[in-house]
Amino acid sequence: MKNLSQMLKQAGELQTRMQALQEQLALLEVTGNSGGDKVQVTMTGKGEVRRVRIAPELLAAGDAEALEDLVRIAVNDARAKAEAEARARLSEITGGLPLPPGFQLPF
């Protein structure tokens, strides 16, 4: 019975740490770039886009298709950075234990 109570205690501690991680990810900001930093997208660790910056010369060029591609690339870059940071922080909490299949980040 002692092992069961210890396991329940550890599960509660893990749940507390996971909730703290979710709060940290909501505050984390990463910036994705494209076009030699002419397009920048800043998003949270939870995937919420906070800012989009586009260099004025790109707007003046009038090439909508190229600009759309640069924005897409910057968003994907930011998302990849956010996911990598979330995985790294989760690994710290779980001590490197493998995650169950289908476990998605951010939460």
Side-chain angles (χ1 to χ4, degrees), residues 11-12 25 38 56 61 67 79 81 83 88 94 101 104:
L25 290 176
K38 291 183 179 181
L67 183 56
R79 183 179 332 160
K81 289 176 180 177
E83 289 173 357
T94 63
Q104 296 291 319

Side-chain angles (χ1 to χ4, degrees), residues 6-53:
Q6 185 177 9
M7 283 177 35
L8 291 173
K9 180 181 176 186
Q10 288 175 339
E13 291 171 358
L14 180 60
Q15 182 178 9
T16 300
R17 286 186 263 154
M18 293 292 280
Q19 185 169 354
L21 174 60
Q22 290 177 359
E23 292 168 5
Q24 290 172 8
L25 290 176
L27 297 174
L28 172 73
E29 287 191 355
V30 295
T31 300
N33 303 292
S34 67
D37 290 341
K38 291 183 179 181
V39 175
Q40 297 181 337
V41 173
T42 301
M43 73 171 41
T44 69
K46 299 280 250 173
E48 177 186 335
V49 174
R50 292 275 171 95
R51 283 182 298 284
V52 176
R53 292 199 171 110

Side-chain angles (χ1 to χ4, degrees), residues 59-103:
L59 295 172
D63 187 353
E65 189 174 325
L67 183 56
E68 290 167 355
D69 286 342
L70 290 171
V71 170
R72 178 185 47 80
I73 292 166
V75 167
N76 289 337
D77 185 41
R79 183 179 332 160
K81 289 176 180 177
E83 289 173 357
E85 183 63 26
R87 277 193 301 275
R89 291 183 184 199
L90 182 61
S91 179
E92 290 174 11
I93 289 174
T94 63
L97 294 175
L99 298 176
F103 195 81

